[in-house]
Amino acid sequence: MDFDFTSEQSQLKDSVDRFLAARYGSLEDREKNRKQTGGFDPAIWAGYAELGLLGMPFSEEDGGFGGGPVETMIAMEAVGRTLALEPYLSTGVLGATALRLAGNAQQKETLIPEVAEGNLRLSLAFQEPQARYDLFDVATRAEAQGAGFVLTGRKELVLNGDTAGLFIVSARTAGERRDESGITLFLVPADRDGVTVRGYASQDGGRLADVDFSGVVLNAEDVLGEVGQGYPVLERVSEAGIAALAAEAVGAMEALHGLTVDYLKTRNQFGVAIGSFQVLQHKAVDMLLMVEQARSMAYYAAMMVEAEDAAERRAALSAVKVQINRSARFVGQTAVQLHGGIGMTMEYLGAHYFKRLAIIETQFGDTAYHLARVTDAGGLIAAA
């Protein structure tokens, strides 16, 4: 099987790598961007649009550039390598996937140009305090009222929710709290009456928000997809998120491994560089092996995220998340061990990679959660 990039994909990789490296060349650059209103520099976000990254997920027929999972992988790996802060995951992956899969012709015609030009940021509001990682555990309700609905409930840990112009909200229109059926997705403008957003910083330097919906009046046009059929779309969106996080983690681990090797070459102890100690060399090699295992699974995620068989796709993406989480934990913890005290110092870039990898480990399901899903599916390879 050929894993080489096409010439267009190689050009995309070169462009994104150069663009983000120029704007995140140091920890000082990242801190400067983080201190901007909303946690990122709007000028850099405009650059994403100019590069075509925000229109990339959509088909050419819908006004996009017809990119696919491999192109998303390329972009997200660059995001991870530079620890970029812009809301690309929330808008360009999660929000764009939901709109691409479930949006009707009118919604796509109206929203996609705004997203592609960088004028509209999307945020997926699906997590609730009681649900943990179960996407179908939805207490937020949308009660039918005339031709529309009235939305009431709360979502937490909404990625980049304090700078979003439009929320994609999962709400229950029928059934009990943990039923997979009866979930509907809604497009809810952030400035709609009854919407309250409380933003705050996350541990990795990003932004999150808790969003309350108090009697928010919605029209039939605000429904994304079919009423009561939102769960399959939500699951596809989460799988796209896992594939994107896999690529981001690979970029972050690759950069952290490079930092660690450089440190071993320059840190002297007992009159020699500590990188001359064989046991530390072995540790660095173990890190590299875990990075490459994660890279192979990121490629696998890009191959499987659009697979037609839902059960096969679900098991594959859970297996990806298991390996990504294990690699992220090993690489992050080993980097801290090899650096010593400086490895946990916030004035050192390596500590920020460690924090981001720790957060990735919990997003869209931790290791135990996804290992159970793979087990329930009978593994990736059927028993003889």
Side-chain angles (χ1 to χ4, degrees), residues 177-296:
R177 197 193 79 192
R178 289 181 59 82
D179 290 346
E180 292 186 6
S181 61
I183 297 172
T184 303
L185 299 181
F186 293 93
L187 298 171
V188 184
D191 59 359
R192 184 70 60 86
D193 289 344
V195 178
T196 304
V197 180
R198 183 179 68 85
Y200 50 91
S202 58
Q203 286 293 320
D204 57 0
R207 298 291 301 178
L208 298 169
D210 293 339
V211 185
D212 289 299
F213 303 96
S214 179
V216 180
V217 178
L218 301 173
N219 303 315
E221 293 76 16
D222 296 321
V223 174
L224 182 65
E226 298 181 25
V227 174
Q229 301 300 315
Y231 177 69
V233 177
L234 193 59
E235 192 171 35
R236 291 290 303 273
V237 172
S238 73
E239 290 164 354
I242 289 172
L245 287 174
E248 182 185 355
V250 167
M253 285 187 278
E254 184 180 52
L256 183 55
H257 176 257
L259 274 178
T260 304
V261 170
D262 288 343
Y263 182 79
L264 295 179
K265 291 177 180 178
T266 56
R267 173 73 166 90
N268 288 325
Q269 189 69 39
F270 308 115
V272 296
I274 62 174
S276 64
F277 303 146
Q278 192 175 55
V279 66
L280 301 188
Q281 294 174 6
H282 289 171
K283 286 285 189 181
V285 171
D286 289 342
M287 288 177 67
L288 178 60
L289 289 175
M290 292 300 277
V291 172
E292 293 306 315
Q293 286 182 9
R295 190 188 309 279
S296 68

Side-chain angles (χ1 to χ4, degrees), residues 249-381:
V250 167
M253 285 187 278
E254 184 180 52
L256 183 55
H257 176 257
L259 274 178
T260 304
V261 170
D262 288 343
Y263 182 79
L264 295 179
K265 291 177 180 178
T266 56
R267 173 73 166 90
N268 288 325
Q269 189 69 39
F270 308 115
V272 296
I274 62 174
S276 64
F277 303 146
Q278 192 175 55
V279 66
L280 301 188
Q281 294 174 6
H282 289 171
K283 286 285 189 181
V285 171
D286 289 342
M287 288 177 67
L288 178 60
L289 289 175
M290 292 300 277
V291 172
E292 293 306 315
Q293 286 182 9
R295 190 188 309 279
S296 68
M297 292 304 276
Y299 277 45
Y300 182 54
M303 291 168 54
M304 292 300 298
V305 72
E306 296 290 340
E308 293 185 4
D309 189 305
E312 184 181 16
R313 189 179 64 243
R314 186 182 304 116
L317 270 297
S318 283
V320 167
K321 195 61 162 64
V322 169
Q323 183 58 56
I324 289 297
N325 288 355
R326 287 175 170 172
S327 291
R329 175 167 290 203
F330 182 87
V331 171
Q333 291 182 345
T334 304
V336 170
Q337 288 181 332
L338 295 181
H339 277 89
I342 194 176
M344 287 298 291
T345 303
M346 287 297 99
E347 287 74 22
Y348 182 64
L349 184 60
H352 295 265
Y353 282 111
F354 175 77
K355 278 197 168 188
R356 179 58 190 144
L357 290 172
I359 294 297
I360 286 176
E361 190 179 345
T362 66
Q363 288 184 291
F364 290 104
D366 60 17
T367 304
Y369 175 81
H370 282 287
L371 190 58
R373 281 167 58 101
V374 175
T375 302
D376 291 342
L380 296 183
I381 302 175

